Amino acid sequence: MTKSQIPIVKNFEMIRSQAEREWQALKIPEEPIIWIGTATCGRAAGALNTLQAIEEELAKGNIKAKIIHVGCMGHCYAEPMVTVAKPGYPPVCYGHVTPGVASSVIKNFLGGDDPCFEFLLGALEENPSIPTVFELPRFKHEFRSLLRNCGYINPEDIHQYIANGGYRGLVKALQLSPEQVIAEVKRSGLRGRGGAGFPTGRKWELCRKAKGNIRCIVGNADEGDPGAFMDRAILESDPHSVIEGMIIGGFAVGAHEGYIYVRAEYPLAVKRLRHALGQAEEIGLLGNNILSSGFDFHLELMQGASAFVCGEETALIASIEGKRGMPTPRPPYPAISGLFGQPTCINNVKSFASTSLILSQGAKLYADIGTKESKGTAVFALAGKVVNTGLVEVPMGTTLRELIFDVGGGIPKKRGFKAVQIGGPSGGCLPESKLNTPVDFASLTEAGAMMGSGGMVVLDEDNCMVDTARYFLEFTQKESCGKCTFCRLGTKQMLDILEDICRGNGSLEDIDLLVELGEDIKAGSLCNLGKTAPNPILTTIRYFREEYEAHIIEKRCPALVCKELIAYYILPDKCERSCDACVGSCPTEAVFTGKKRIKVIDQSKCVKCGSCVDACPPQYDAVVRISPVSQLPPSEPPPDKA
Amino acid sequence: MSKVNLTIDDVPVNAAEGESILWAALDAGIYIPNLCAIRERKSPFASCRLCWVEIEGVDLPATSCTTPVKEGMKVQTRTPRVLRLVRTSFELLISHHPVDCARCAKNKKCELQRIAREFKFKLKPGKFRKLLRELPVDSSHPCFILDPNKCVLCGRCVWLCNEVQRACALDFAFRGLNTVITTSGGKPLGESDCSACRECVSVCPVGALIPK
């Protein structure tokens, strides 16, 4: 260790010992501690009401306890989640904590001695009396490294991050030369987590070697894929891991300024990030002369104005510059000429969070996880028709089958698996035959999907593939910036064709036209939004062509989804005549009581909302969807037309 | 400035280093279709997606406006793959453009007509459907008329107005298919910051900006 490196370590040790003391006090509490997940997902599930109920119950029972807000553990299916650490017991975790459950836990567990087993997910530590959560499928199969702190530490307390190994990567980096840091990141094999998978170390090297006076770091958290929330969860639950990674990145490429670009729809992430930036500056981990190392680095937060295309790096840079968020042709790549024409290193925030891990643990440990070409772990937002939805993290190379059926717990309601949409609107739909595909950059691309930034929507047999493709294309078409011909007009042409097919007005030539135009859009578009927009259509045609043909030839929607191709029908022999549930539920008065009190649907009034299906008691199950409409059995005319 | 030698459609061409293939070809009398290109513009806009070429040793067709010439480069401008992309791009543009040439002031000077002539395309959207808009024509300005329905969003007028004339009267607004060229706050051109230099009219490749 050289002389100049001593103060770095010494300065950090002071912060660290204080942080660890505070953390130890939380681990062996004198009074009960209640950890409540109040990230956006928890709040959406009612965590703030739960919090209020906890506070009221504590006051009512005159119980002393400390409440700590944490981020998202990734277990959306069990939100709101609360962990209670009571002296003498292992910390225990509860799921689905409604205000009623919360009151009952406080009263019986903290007020008494009953840990309320009925609401318990499990204990967070090995112990003789209470089963642990680690036996649950989600905990058992997952491998948490990027999300290691999410839901376990208070994102608004930098000391909790430091006590859990935080900022050690930065301290290590500051003792190395920038070239050594880049070499370490290169050794780890880390590839960009934004979706394209460009090797991060190589990007940093390009940026460092590029000609320019001022270099810049940009963290991309403009996460816009429908159903994806990985970046949000990390920023809300562990913002310092991103900040640390960005400082390391700044040191490596020689930048003294950085921007984190977060979409404005993430107000909590923005708030927590701002708080975290303030704390890091306060204790000297950000700003001038970081830990007396002589290295200056400033971070600024930028909020995007809800344009999906601004996730594309050149459009994002234009947006920071104050211009309209439109992509520009590459090359020049941002690493050579980016923000204000200067070399700019732009990475997804998950990539930055990974680099703090790589530096603190060492590249070797990171590179040991994953496959030969794709190192580390992959974070997915598992959504759709799957039991254990939420944020999952698995080593690269895990198969889709393991991910959906072991980690995700399979398809709910005993329905059959149909497809999985990976990579959001730019990704593709893979069928059951591709379930053994390992999750890594090359394998997913080869199968027609892509890694993307981590959206994963599971579809079951009740999902229509044509309708799914239409949904994703509608999104990209609306979000196209309108700059280039192929994306602006091509996606609209494709969407019109798909809408026709969904209405039963398609022709077989339309399928060929979709493929042809889709290929041209992929080849001809200016940026990756357009280049990937046809993927959902091309993959659904590739793997589910028969569904397209059923819509076109038979005017039949096999999944009974496309409204124009289905009709609702009440089975006379199943209809319980004394029940009026469907009649009352119908918003258009299409259901009437026919002869012998059997209910009948007036097709001319039916708007196909499906209310009658939901209203019909499950023991009768008399309302069915029929496709094609021509298969509809003749039924009695309504009284006014009889 | 040093010069490089290349061939475009097997014709030897001598072009300045750093020049894009598009301008090298046009200088040599080889037509490559384009709408958005402006020679003075340092970083090409690359929005019209018409100037496709194939370069020997490069897998995919590339836009010639964004590809600089290189010594010994072999460029083809009329290969099947290029023709397919040009046709699709052209037909997409036509699908969104009212073909009313006989009554258009730009008749016979229109770049879309030129492309159709050079490539023997019809002024029809081919397999695509017509997606016409019915936006109001802005004739509030004393010198020129803006018909947003005919606009191909090449961005030439925007660049000139903002970067050269510094009048900053025109810019893009809205997204996707709704993208238009408009003034600040959508005000009529007659009430906008327009300095009446009429440079935008001179660069419009189609009949969207027409002198009065």
Side-chain angles (χ1 to χ4, degrees):
Chain A
M1 196 180 289
T2 64
K3 211 176 175 183
S4 67
Q5 289 164 355
I6 296 167
I8 301 175
V9 179
K10 210 172 128 195
N11 283 331
F12 184 70
E13 278 308 309
M14 266 158 55
I15 304 170
R16 195 178 67 113
S17 55
Q18 157 98 25
E20 280 184 357
R21 268 199 307 280
E22 286 174 19
W23 184 252
Q24 277 314 311
L26 292 177
K27 286 280 112 176
I28 311 156
E30 287 169 4
E31 59 181 22
I33 299 177
I34 298 161
W35 311 74
I36 178 162
T38 53
T40 301
C41 41
R43 290 181 183 202
L48 294 184
N49 293 337
T50 304
L51 179 68
Q52 198 185 352
I54 292 173
E55 283 167 347
E56 280 167 13
E57 194 61 39
L58 287 173
K60 213 185 329 170
N62 205 9
I63 303 165
K64 269 199 171 169
K66 192 173 178 178
I67 298 175
I68 295 177
H69 291 247
V70 291
C72 160
M73 278 172 110
H75 296 252
C76 299
Y77 64 96
E79 291 286 2
M81 283 174 85
V82 171
T83 301
V84 179
K86 185 182 174 183
Y89 289 85
V92 287
C93 184
Y94 299 91
H96 306 288
V97 187
T98 57
V101 172
S103 307
S104 152
V105 168
I106 301 297
K107 194 158 51 181
N108 298 323
F109 185 31
L110 296 189
D113 280 325
D114 173 15
C116 299
F117 282 98
E118 63 272 36
F119 309 125
L120 204 63
L121 280 180
L124 291 173
E125 271 171 23
E126 291 296 338
N127 69 92
S129 50
I130 303 170
T132 64
V133 290
F134 309 112
E135 293 308 307
L136 298 173
R138 276 288 305 273
F139 288 87
K140 198 168 157 187
H141 297 283
E142 272 187 76
F143 184 90
R144 296 229 153 192
S145 70
L146 211 57
L147 304 176
R148 67 201 178 280
N149 290 327
C150 295
Y152 292 96
I153 63 163
N154 179 357
E156 299 197 359
D157 186 348
I158 190 170
H159 282 166
Q160 294 199 4
Y161 177 65
I162 293 171
N164 285 283
Y167 286 103
R168 286 209 188 60
L170 174 65
V171 171
K172 199 162 159 203
L174 291 175
Q175 297 174 56
L176 302 172
S177 72
E179 286 78 14
Q180 284 172 313
V181 175
I182 291 174
E184 187 76 359
V185 175
K186 272 177 134 179
R187 250 198 307 280
S188 75
L190 172 66
R191 294 173 66 173
R193 290 301 193 254
F198 190 81
T200 306
R202 219 161 84 213
K203 192 187 266 184
W204 288 15
E205 192 176 41
L206 280 172
C207 184
R208 179 161 187 86
K209 287 184 178 162
K211 275 185 209 151
N213 304 324
I214 305 163
R215 273 155 235 281
C216 197
I217 291 275
V218 178
N220 183 352
D222 191 55
E223 179 179 52
D225 291 5
F229 46 88
M230 301 72 56
D231 298 356
R232 187 191 71 204
I234 289 185
L235 291 178
E236 286 179 356
S237 314
D238 196 13
H240 286 288
S241 64
V242 176
I243 296 172
E244 184 187 354
M246 290 188 70
I247 307 172
I248 295 172
F251 178 74
V253 305
H256 300 288
E257 275 168 53
Y259 294 89
I260 306 185
Y261 191 95
V262 188
R263 58 195 303 227
E265 289 92 332
Y266 286 175
L268 188 66
V270 169
K271 180 177 162 255
R272 288 189 169 168
L273 201 52
R274 238 188 216 130
H275 188 89
L277 288 173
Q279 277 189 329
E281 267 172 29
E282 208 171 289
I283 62 171
L285 290 167
L286 188 65
N288 288 334
N289 195 12
I290 293 173
L291 292 170
S292 314
S293 64
F295 172 63
D296 303 339
F297 190 72
H298 298 270
L299 260 179
E300 207 173 301
L301 199 112
M302 286 291 299
Q303 289 190 59
S306 83
F308 178 67
V309 71
C310 285
E312 201 280 338
E313 54 186 20
T314 57
L316 191 151
I317 286 170
S319 173
I320 296 183
E321 288 173 345
K323 297 181 189 153
R324 178 179 159 93
M326 284 200 298
T328 51
R330 299 180 307 177
Y333 288 92
I336 309 296
S337 168
L339 195 62
F340 301 108
Q342 301 298 328
T344 303
C345 170
I346 174 163
N347 279 117
N348 182 274
V349 287
K350 293 192 291 292
S351 313
F352 281 122
S354 305
T355 53
S356 28
L357 202 69
I358 289 164
L359 264 291
S360 67
Q361 294 182 341
K364 170 87 177 52
L365 218 62
Y366 189 87
D368 282 347
I369 312 160
T371 64
K372 194 165 168 263
E373 299 292 327
S374 308
K375 300 291 183 197
T377 56
V379 179
F380 287 103
L382 196 57
K385 308 286 180 62
V386 63
V387 176
N388 300 326
T389 55
L391 213 57
V392 299
E393 183 171 6
V394 290
M396 290 273 190
T398 306
T399 64
L400 289 171
R401 191 183 298 280
E402 287 167 324
L403 194 53
I404 295 163
F405 288 91
D406 297 341
V407 182
I411 316 296
K413 296 182 191 162
K414 295 185 182 159
R415 307 296 292 173
F417 170 88
K418 190 184 237 176
V420 55
Q421 163 77 17
I422 307 160
S426 330
C429 279
L430 301 185
E432 184 150 23
S433 61
K434 293 278 168 188
L435 274 180
N436 290 332
T437 309
V439 171
D440 64 56
F441 290 99
S443 308
L444 287 179
T445 309
E446 197 194 312
M450 68 182 245
M451 194 71 162
S453 70
M456 183 176 274
V457 184
V458 181
L459 306 169
D460 72 2
E461 42 194 17
D462 291 337
N463 289 99
C464 168
M465 299 317 292
V466 187
D467 186 61
T468 306
R470 186 199 57 76
Y471 168 80
F472 282 111
L473 192 69
E474 191 178 13
F475 177 83
T476 27
Q477 194 267 322
K478 270 190 189 150
E479 290 295 339
S480 160
C481 75
K483 180 173 174 177
C484 84
T485 309
F486 282 98
C487 181
R488 179 179 77 240
L489 295 164
T491 55
K492 174 65 181 164
Q493 291 284 355
M494 285 183 90
L495 183 64
D496 278 2
I497 298 170
L498 279 174
E499 280 175 350
D500 268 359
I501 295 177
C502 286
R503 284 196 205 102
N505 297 332
S507 66
L508 283 175
E509 293 79 50
D510 281 346
I511 303 183
D512 300 330
L513 183 56
L514 280 175
V515 174
E516 210 175 290
L517 179 55
E519 284 168 356
D520 285 353
I521 295 174
K522 281 182 85 154
S525 292
L526 173 63
C527 82
N528 275 338
L529 190 151
K531 279 182 197 295
T532 57
N535 280 350
I537 296 89
L538 295 178
T539 48
T540 46
I541 293 178
R542 178 163 154 196
Y543 296 121
F544 300 95
R545 199 184 179 99
E546 69 286 353
E547 275 198 40
Y548 280 82
E549 289 169 351
H551 280 75
I552 292 167
I553 302 168
E554 302 168 54
K555 313 283 175 217
R556 177 174 68 90
C557 176
L560 305 171
V561 171
C562 297
K563 271 191 183 179
E564 271 85 353
L565 302 185
I566 59 165
Y568 286 83
Y569 178 68
I570 299 173
L571 298 165
D573 47 341
K574 278 195 168 183
C575 178
E576 161 58 54
R577 295 164 208 199
S578 59
C579 161
D580 276 336
C582 54
V583 179
S585 77
C586 180
T588 58
E589 297 181 0
V591 188
F592 64 92
T593 308
K595 287 172 204 154
K596 299 182 194 164
R597 292 202 58 77
I598 288 173
K599 309 300 175 293
V600 187
I601 297 174
D602 178 356
Q603 297 296 337
S604 66
K605 286 185 184 169
C606 177
V607 290
K608 301 173 187 179
C609 65
S611 302
C612 50
V613 178
D614 299 333
C616 187
Q619 62 266 39
Y620 309 140
D621 199 17
V623 190
V624 289
R625 294 182 182 92
I626 288 176
S627 182
V629 182
S630 58
Q631 299 273 309
L632 195 71
S635 53
E636 173 180 342
D640 52 342
K641 287 180 194 157
Chain B
M1 191 181 269
S2 57
K3 294 258 183 178
V4 293
N5 293 302
L6 66 157
T7 65
I8 302 177
D9 291 343
D10 304 321
V11 178
V13 172
N14 186 251
E17 201 183 333
E19 186 73 278
S20 71
I21 296 174
L22 174 68
W23 294 109
L26 291 175
D27 285 350
I30 298 164
Y31 180 68
I32 294 179
N34 69 88
L35 293 174
C36 65
I38 294 185
R39 192 157 205 164
E40 295 73 30
R41 191 169 187 171
K42 265 192 210 152
S43 46
F45 195 54
S47 74
C48 69
R49 320 307 287 168
L50 282 163
C51 63
W52 296 100
V53 291
E54 279 203 77
I55 302 158
E56 198 178 277
V58 178
D59 285 349
L60 298 169
T63 43
S64 58
C65 68
T66 58
T67 316
V69 291
K70 264 193 207 142
E71 182 65 39
M73 202 177 223
K74 286 181 181 160
V75 179
Q76 294 291 334
T77 70
R78 299 290 191 275
T79 66
R81 285 203 294 181
V82 165
L83 291 176
R84 175 171 162 180
L85 283 173
V86 173
R87 176 182 283 274
T88 305
S89 190
F90 177 80
E91 288 178 347
L92 285 172
L93 285 167
I94 287 292
S95 77
H96 204 44
H97 183 88
V99 180
D100 186 17
C101 301
R103 284 192 288 170
C104 180
K106 205 77 175 192
N107 194 13
K108 295 189 176 153
K109 285 169 287 180
C110 171
E111 284 292 322
L112 286 172
Q113 285 180 332
R114 177 169 187 199
I115 298 165
R117 202 169 55 238
E118 297 273 354
F119 283 82
K120 301 200 168 53
F121 292 157
K122 287 181 182 149
L123 285 164
K124 285 182 177 166
K127 292 175 189 163
F128 306 128
R129 335 169 163 207
K130 212 71 186 164
L131 305 166
L132 291 184
R133 295 168 291 183
E134 283 179 19
L135 299 170
V137 175
D138 186 349
S139 49
S140 62
H141 198 280
C143 306
F144 59 92
I145 299 167
L146 168 64
D147 183 351
N149 300 305
K150 289 183 183 165
C151 177
V152 288
L153 296 169
C154 68
R156 282 183 182 181
C157 55
V158 172
W159 181 75
L160 224 80
C161 189
N162 289 278
E163 305 293 327
V164 181
Q165 300 303 109
R166 303 270 173 195
C168 302
L170 287 175
D171 209 336
F172 296 100
F174 309 118
R175 293 179 201 173
L177 207 65
N178 298 323
T179 313
V180 286
I181 300 290
T182 186
T183 59
S184 168
K187 275 189 276 186
L189 269 165
E191 297 164 28
S192 72
D193 302 328
C194 175
S195 58
C197 67
R198 281 171 286 182
E199 284 294 316
C200 54
V201 179
S202 72
V203 290
C204 182
V206 293
L209 284 162
I210 293 294
K212 265 189 177 172

